[in-house]
Structure formats: structure tokens, C-alpha cells
Amino acid sequence: MHPIKMYILDNGWVEYDESLLVSNPTLDTISNHNPYRKWIKSPCYCVLIDHPEKGWMLFDTGSHPEAMKGYWPNETIKQFPYYRTEQQLLINQLALIGLKPQDIKTVILSHGHLDHAGGLFLFKNADIYWPKADYEYAKRLLAIQPESRSSGPYIRADIESPARELHFVTKNLKLAPGIEIITLRGHTPEVLGLVVHLNSCTYIFPSDGIYMAPNYGSRINQSDIFYDNLSCLESIEKVRKLNEKSHSRIMYSHDMEQFKRFKLAPEYYE
Ligand SMILES: [Zn+2]
């Protein structure tokens, strides 16, 4: 049996005000009530696992290919424009490794937000693992606005994508040898993180449990877009404990500086 291989699939980037991910990076002062604000580029990516027993598994599915052509609401696009090349489409990223969507039997969705669940429609024959509390929250929000195509960062068509079977996750789970799912509360009622034990190193993908390095530093910089800030701090500490125990590498969800150092598909980690 071959060892576990792990690929990072580049799905383009979203741009927005930095303060959404790192709150108050710049503050008003006595002499400047209009402090400098930063517009940042933030990567979207998926993690593909070639597992010797479980076959092909995918963590997150990126943004929808037509996001900027009417699939995302206009108001969203003004604050969070999404950019991608043809090559960065998930379907073309899979093709780099010679795969089609139907080759993926297991999809782990960190949460239902539009920059993570936009490719779900490709995987109607896969088993989808979804954090139960996030799914129920999204369904509740959408149910209050039955005529709307979206509610905040949840797009109805993403949330209602068909699957072979939906598996609702409520606690940490060992999905296969070397592959674990961890639950992280805060960004939404629950987000799933992925832990991959490779021969070389253990990698933790906390998804939007930790967006960028500043959220994890000694002085924790919180974000403005948490569902529940206190739970979020607890989740960061949960990752920290795991990291200290396993000497792993943390792969932030939206940190462009770190992302530039990632090895991208078709290259892989093993
Ligand atoms: Zn995200």
C-alpha cells in the first residue's frame, strides 16, 4: 500500500477589508480618525487526500465557478469579490492529477459558507461530512427568508446540493487511518478542521477556525466575523494543544503569505 498523499488545490482568491479577519489592525488615534485600512487578497483552496484504504477524499470545495456571474448576490460581490483563472477551477485542479469529480468518494465540508461549499454541486455521488450545527444553522437562516437565494455567507443552492449521503458530524472523528476531523466552534456554530498524519509531518487545517497567522499569535487578534467569539478562542486553544502534542504544522485557511509557500497540485506532500 502506498503512503497517504496530500495535494493542495488552488481555487483562486477573494478580496476584502483585512479587519474582517483581523479585527482593528489599525486604530484611530488623536491625530488620525481615518486610519489606514487594508484591502487584502485571501486564498481559497481545497485539500485532496489520496488514501491507501479510503481512496480519494476532498476537504472543502472552494467557491462556485459562476460566483461573480450572478451566483453570489451583488451585495456580497461588492464586499467579497472572487477571482480565479480557468486553471484554478476545482474541476481543472482535479484534472491536473488526472481526476474527475466522480472519482471523489468522500467530501469533508468544513462549513457551508460560500467560499468553502461552492463546489459541492460537483459531488452528488459522494458521502459528504458536514458539521451538524453549521448545517442546521444555515437551514434555519434560509428558512426565515424563503424567497431569498442566500442568507449572509450561505448560498441556498450550495446548502441544498445533492449528495449520495450526508453525514452530520457532532464530535471529533477518526475517518480513516491517519485522517481525523476535529470540531471547532466559533466562526459558525461549528466548523470542521482536518488533521492529516503523513509520514513526513502532521498537518492541521483548522479552516475558518483560524484564518491567518495573526489570529494564532501570542496576542490573539480576533476577527469581526465570528458567530461566537468566546467559542472561537476556545477552538484556537484546542488547536494549540493538539499542535503542541503532535508537533504539527498549521495550515491557515485564508493567509496569503503562508499560502505562497504551499506546494500546489500536481505536486504533493507525503
Ligand atoms: Zn472561509
Side-chain angles (χ1 to χ4, degrees), residues 16 111 113 115-116 187 207-208 211 253-254:
Y16 40 71
H111 61 302
H113 281 179
D115 53 335
H116 298 259
H187 174 67
S207 185
D208 289 354
Y211 315 107
S253 60
H254 294 302

Side-chain angles (χ1 to χ4, degrees), residues 41 50 66 221:
K41 283 186 182 18
D50 179 6
E66 302 295 314
N221 272 300

Side-chain angles (χ1 to χ4, degrees), residues 80-131:
F80 304 91
Y82 169 57
Y83 302 96
R84 48 90 184 158
T85 62
E86 272 303 293
Q87 163 108 337
Q88 287 166 328
L89 285 175
L90 178 53
I91 200 154
N92 293 333
Q93 288 288 301
L94 291 170
L96 287 176
I97 306 149
L99 295 178
K100 294 195 172 67
Q102 53 267 38
D103 296 319
I104 312 293
K105 301 289 181 244
T106 307
V107 174
I108 304 146
L109 189 72
S110 67
H111 61 302
H113 281 179
L114 73 188
D115 53 335
H116 298 259
L120 268 187
F121 73 97
L122 293 167
F123 304 102
K124 55 180 182 291
N125 297 317
D127 281 15
I128 314 278
Y129 289 79
W130 198 320

